[in-house]
Each structure stands twice: as structure tokens, then as C-alpha cells.
Amino acid sequence: MTARADPGKAVLAATRCDRTAAWAALAGHFQAHGRAFDLREAFARDPGRFESMSLEAPEVFADLSKNLVDAATLRFLADLARECGVEAQRDAMLAGAPVNNTEHRAVLHTALRAPRGGAPFGAEVHSVLDEMLAFAETVRERADGAASGRLRHVVNIGIGGSDLGPQMAVRALADVAHPGLSFHFVANVDGADLASVLARVTPPETLFIVASKTFTTQETMTNAESARAWFVAQGGTRIEDHFVAATSNVEAAARFGITRTFGFWDWVGGRYSLWSAIGLPIAIAIGADRFRELLAGARAMDEHFAHAPVERNVPMLLGLVDVWYRNFHGFTSRCIAPYAQALQRLPAYLQQLEMESNGKRVDRSGAPLPFATSPVVWGEPGTNAQHAYFQMLHQGSDTVPVEFILLGRSSAVASGISAEAVERQHRMLLANGLAQSQALMQGRASTDEPHRDFPGNRPSTTLLLASLTPRSLGALLALYEHRVFTSGAVWGIDSFDQWGVELGKTLGARLLPLLQSASAGVASADLDASTAGLLRRLGA
Ligand code: F6P
């Protein structure tokens, strides 16, 4: 039976990566050439290295040439992908097989950006999309209306995937956002988060979006209840005009008292949900046409991922290089350095995408894995990052692969500063980004002053976007989704569950009553000494 005929089988039948011939070949290759690989020598040896190791994907040009790989490494990694059935696993996911096997669910965020008839569930997806985009346009009209009763604020209440994606994208596309609307994102159960937003808004001017796939998440429900109580206490009327929900639990939203709900489905994972109703703040910010452009950019990357051969498949190659660094070089983290202030929340978004997806230590069948999985993903926009932790990247004791994201054109809105200043500053920004990847690679020897010595040979990838548009952002984000899929598929893990968040939730629910009553002294007999001691210090 072919993988396409029974896609679910392809997933479970995949060979564990460290038992493949390609893994053994990579291990041998690492000993012989990988450990001592020198980027400077590689460029000197091969004048065509940049051309052969840089690739075009939709909207994204990817320069992999400053990575610690040669042609043989990439060949063995492509073999690894084939032996691990990455392509068959990809096809299974795209066909709607239940590849999230611990939750018995399909994984179909790609269906959210497919044209009608282009993927499973097209009718449902497009019906909600049309409805949501029509609503987004009415909100934008309310923001254009007469001064009295005009909408000025959108407050998204959600956490994790129901916060990070929309927040990141709204900030990224601020240059094309509705100028009359301010967007606020409340995630933390720390009341300071909600309070700081409520201090800046008034009920008649504000639309609250309660965004929660499950509509049970403690932080979101608590913030939503507090926001509703504030709305009523401030004399707000017509809750139905000021509170809407994005959720797959439509009944729970109705019980909360929200009449206008945009639904989605259990086959959309939280961290993959910005393309669904969870993207409502994005749609309000940039409007229906541009939201469709965002989806189209992601769709173009989906097509590339689905059809490009492994050797030219940019998300697959990036995911495979991640495996090479994690499992053979032993690098424990990867730094994301977007040279674009508009992408300031991208590292946080990617942390959830990658670490919640691939931070697992058992395979799909529950068997422990004897090799490392997700790296720590972290970062900040450049140039700020240069003045904070780049010291460690250049001269620290660890090698941290860095990902530079550069834009051909500035995404600055030229209204605040002159167009000439925008251009000049953008050239400085680019010079900085390019210089950092160059410095990491080249290094600079200083034998008499060791503190001035830069060892160099530190790897980086550069992703180049002509400009930051809804379309290129969509493509970039889909590229990351598929890259995370690729390394997860090689490792044989379920990249789509998140059981690791459960225990903390359960224990938190047990501790809460102790902090709310004076009974802690009695109940804390069941607790470890540290937690009990800390509770006492907190006066519980
Ligand atoms: O705590 C983990 C998590 O389930 C994430 O995966 C998710 O994005 C977040 O919580 C929020 O969940 P929900 O959208 O259901 O409120």
C-alpha cells in the first residue's frame, strides 16, 4: 500500500533515525570531516559555494552557505530524510491522516490557507474565513465612523498560540495596519497585564476578542471574566457588540455570554492557529484582502514544501541542518536574529512553535529516545541583540548557530521620519546584519591579546525577504512550520501534542486554594519542604 493510499501507516512505520544507514554515514562523516570543518577553508576551496548552497523558496531566499556543511553532508541528510520517511509523513499530514497520534487528530493548518477544493474541510474553512473577514471589515468601518461611538481599540485576550501568533503578525504588519485602531494583547494571568491595557481604553471604544482554542485555559478565562466585569462596572453596554470569541469550543463561548463566535477545529494546533479565527486581530488590522495575501504566501510555501525535492526543499533542508547541529555537533540552541524591528515578537513566536512542538523525549509509540531533540530557540531583533549577547556568540565557549533575517526594503512607516532617513537607517541595519554573519564566520586572530581573539567558524543562516508584506510573512512562517515538522519527523516524535504543560497546570490548581485560604499550614503537610516553605513566606 502506498503512503498516499494509507498515509497514517507511513508515519508509524518510519525507521528510527539513529538506526538508518544515513545516520551511520553522517556519524562517520562527522568524525572524518564534520568536527574539524572550517567554513573559511570551504569558501576558499569552492568559489561556487554561495551559489550552490543558497536556495529560492517562495518569497524567501535562503543562504545556507555559512553553515558547517559540505555537499556530502547535505547528501547524507537528504538520505536521512528519505530513510525516515519524511516525505511520506509530510504527505500523510497534508492528506489529513491522524498524525497527531497521542491526541488522535489530523494536523491540517495547511488546509486553512488552501484554495477552495484544494485541501480537506474546504467548505467549513472558507465559510468561517469569509464570515470572519466580513466581520473584520465591519470592525474597520466602525473605526472609520463618526467620532462618537468610534472603535479605537482591539484587545485580544489569549495565551500561547492564541496570543503569540496574532501579536507577532499584527506588529510585523503595522505599516499596513488600520491607522485608527490600537491593538493590545493580554496574555498573563498577572493582573498587571490586563490592568495596564484597561487603563488606556474605554468600553464604548473597545472590542475584546477572547481567543482560546479550548475556552478553558485558566489565564484567558480569568482575564476575560475580569475584562467583562470591568466593562460592566465602567458602564459599558451591549456586551454583544464589544466581546467576540475565536474558539473551537463554541458552546463554552456561548455560556460565557458571547454571541458572536468564530469557530475552528481540533485539527488546528494552538501554535499553528494564526491562519484560523485566531487570526482575527490580524484580519482587523490589515483588512480582508491583505489577510488573504498572508494565507496565499503560506500556501505558496506549502506547495514548495509539498513538491520540491528534498535537495531543493528549503524548509526540509533547514530542518535537516538543525538535526545535524543538534545530534552530531551537539549544539544546544539556535539564535534568531531578525534585523527588523517589525519582527520583534518573531523569536517568542518561534520559541513556542519549535520548543512546544519538538521538546519531547519519547517517540510516537512512547519509547524513550536516546538522542537529543529540540534545541533552545531564542533571540531578539538586531541591532539591539548585538549590544546585549552577541559577545557570547562571537567569543563564548559554546557554538550557537544564528539565523539572520534580513529585509531588502525597510518596513518603517516613513511618516515619522523622512523617507531619506528610513533609507539611510535601513542600509545601516543591513550592514550590521551582514557584518555579524561575516564576523561569526571569519573571526579575527589575535595571538598576543587573547581577549581580542575571535575564533570564527561560527555558523549562520541568512533568510532574505525582498520586503515584509502579508505575503512574505505568510511564506516565512509556513517555512518555519515545515522546518519544525521536518526535524520532528526525523526524530520520530509527535510534534503536535503538548502534554508537557499538563503537570504544572494540575499542581497549580492544587496550590491555588492554599494561597486563597488560611488552611495552608494543614494542607502543606502533603507538600515538599521547599514549596511549603515558600508558601509560608508568602503568608499562605
Ligand atoms: O499550555 C499550552 C497550550 O495548550 C498551547 O498549546 C496553546 O497555544 C495555549 O495553551 C493556549 O490554549 P487555548 O488556545 O486553548 O487557550
Side-chain angles (χ1 to χ4, degrees):
M1 195 177 280
T2 66
R4 280 201 187 273
D6 188 356
K9 279 221 168 92
V11 175
L12 293 168
T15 309
R16 204 176 80 182
C17 57
D18 60 331
R19 295 181 177 143
T20 61
W23 188 276
L26 282 162
H29 178 67
F30 179 72
Q31 293 304 333
H33 307 287
R35 196 191 290 284
F37 184 86
D38 191 291
L39 274 168
R40 292 142 306 186
E41 287 168 18
F43 273 100
R45 253 196 326 269
D46 177 7
R49 183 175 168 89
F50 170 72
E51 280 71 26
S52 62
M53 290 198 179
S54 48
L55 295 107
E56 294 274 3
E59 302 290 325
V60 182
F61 177 82
D63 174 17
L64 276 73
S65 66
K66 290 197 193 85
N67 281 291
L68 305 175
V69 295
D70 58 18
T73 323
L74 294 178
R75 214 171 38 246
F76 292 137
L77 287 170
D79 291 345
L80 180 68
R82 278 186 278 268
E83 279 191 79
C84 295
V86 171
E87 290 160 297
Q89 294 188 56
R90 169 199 64 194
D91 294 344
M93 175 178 74
L94 297 177
V99 298
N100 175 358
N101 63 295
T102 67
E103 295 181 313
H104 315 288
R105 288 177 186 164
V107 174
L108 276 171
H109 45 279
T110 49
L112 300 169
R113 51 236 190 178
R116 255 171 249 275
F121 302 106
E124 293 96 311
V125 164
H126 282 274
S127 144
V128 176
L129 177 64
D130 292 347
E131 199 191 329
M132 173 182 106
L133 293 184
F135 177 72
E137 289 298 333
T138 66
V139 174
R140 289 165 66 85
E141 281 158 22
R142 280 164 71 190
D144 291 331
S148 76
R150 183 187 293 170
L151 213 54
R152 294 174 198 274
H153 299 279
V154 175
V155 179
N156 189 79
I157 299 178
I159 198 164
S162 300
D163 165 68
L164 291 164
Q167 186 180 164
M168 174 273 299
V170 166
R171 295 198 195 295
L173 301 173
D175 61 330
V176 291
H178 192 295
L181 282 168
S182 299
F183 290 83
H184 312 269
F185 292 85
V186 175
N188 201 330
V189 77
D190 180 348
D193 200 5
L194 179 65
S196 74
V197 171
L198 295 183
R200 285 176 280 152
V201 305
T202 63
E205 296 178 333
T206 306
L207 175 72
F208 290 91
I209 301 173
V210 184
S212 174
K213 177 176 171 179
T214 54
F215 226 77
T216 58
T217 303
Q218 185 198 46
E219 292 91 332
T220 301
M221 291 303 101
T222 306
N223 277 323
E225 278 157 20
S226 299
R228 187 180 52 188
W230 167 89
F231 184 87
V232 173
Q234 295 292 311
T237 53
R238 298 194 57 82
I239 286 195
E240 62 278 20
D241 288 345
H242 292 273
F243 281 78
V244 299
T247 182
S248 63
N249 189 351
V250 176
E251 300 76 30
R255 281 196 298 278
F256 183 90
I258 292 181
T259 48
R260 189 182 277 277
T261 295
F262 301 94
F264 60 105
W265 307 272
D266 69 357
W267 41 261
V268 181
R271 53 197 175 273
Y272 299 87
S273 64
L274 72 84
W275 323 99
S276 71
I278 293 293
L280 180 58
I282 312 170
I284 295 172
I286 65 176
D289 291 346
R290 289 193 177 106
F291 191 83
R292 288 191 193 276
E293 277 291 298
L294 178 84
L295 298 180
R299 170 69 177 180
M301 189 61 74
D302 294 343
E303 293 280 345
H304 169 82
F305 175 60
H307 302 298
V310 179
E311 288 78 4
R312 310 294 304 165
N313 196 310
V314 178
M316 277 196 196
L317 285 176
L318 289 172
L320 291 167
V321 171
D322 291 339
V323 170
W324 172 241
Y325 284 158
R326 190 75 187 97
N327 299 121
F328 296 90
H329 280 276
F331 301 153
T332 55
S333 82
R334 192 172 83 248
C335 175
I336 312 288
Y339 274 65
Q341 193 58 27
L343 293 174
Q344 59 183 290
R345 294 298 290 164
L346 183 70
Y349 167 80
L350 293 179
Q351 275 178 337
Q352 187 197 14
L353 180 66
E354 188 147 350
M355 294 162 75
E356 199 171 75
S357 295
N358 286 344
K360 318 275 165 74
R361 47 175 284 289
V362 297
D363 72 8
R364 299 176 162 284
S365 65
L369 292 171
F371 46 78
T373 58
S374 177
V376 175
V377 175
W378 58 288
E380 277 286 323
T383 59
N384 307 23
Q386 289 172 207
H387 299 274
Y389 51 73
F390 266 54
Q391 161 67 38
M392 181 266 198
L393 300 180
H394 288 290
Q395 291 187 315
S397 52
D398 288 274
T399 298
V400 180
V402 183
E403 209 142 278
F404 293 93
I405 302 171
L406 305 184
L407 307 180
R409 275 199 305 282
S410 173
S411 61
V413 187
S415 56
I417 51 175
S418 70
E420 188 275 328
V422 166
E423 261 312 301
R424 187 164 41 88
Q425 295 198 205
H426 191 62
R427 282 194 293 273
M428 281 185 198
L429 181 68
L430 290 177
N432 271 279
L434 292 172
Q436 290 300 323
S437 70
Q438 201 183 20
L440 285 165
M441 174 183 73
Q442 287 181 348
R444 189 181 63 199
S446 174
T447 40
D448 47 340
E449 289 186 296
H451 58 278
R452 287 186 187 269
D453 187 77
F454 288 74
N457 202 33
R458 302 208 161 185
S460 68
T461 298
T462 301
L463 302 177
L464 197 57
L465 278 59
S467 60
L468 191 60
T469 62
R471 192 178 178 87
S472 66
L473 181 68
L476 180 72
L477 301 179
L479 179 143
Y480 274 106
E481 288 177 348
H482 299 323
R483 168 200 200 147
V484 167
F485 173 89
T486 300
S487 48
V490 168
W491 290 324
I493 58 189
D494 183 341
S495 298
F496 301 102
D497 61 13
Q498 56 283 319
W499 297 102
V501 300
E502 293 301 318
L503 180 58
K505 284 186 196 170
T506 308
L507 297 184
R510 275 193 222 151
L511 292 176
L512 183 59
L514 303 184
L515 284 155
Q516 283 170 332
S517 74
S519 59
V522 183
S524 65
D526 300 335
L527 295 173
D528 64 87
S530 166
T531 309
L534 291 169
L535 277 171
R536 279 196 303 277
R537 294 285 304 192
L538 287 164

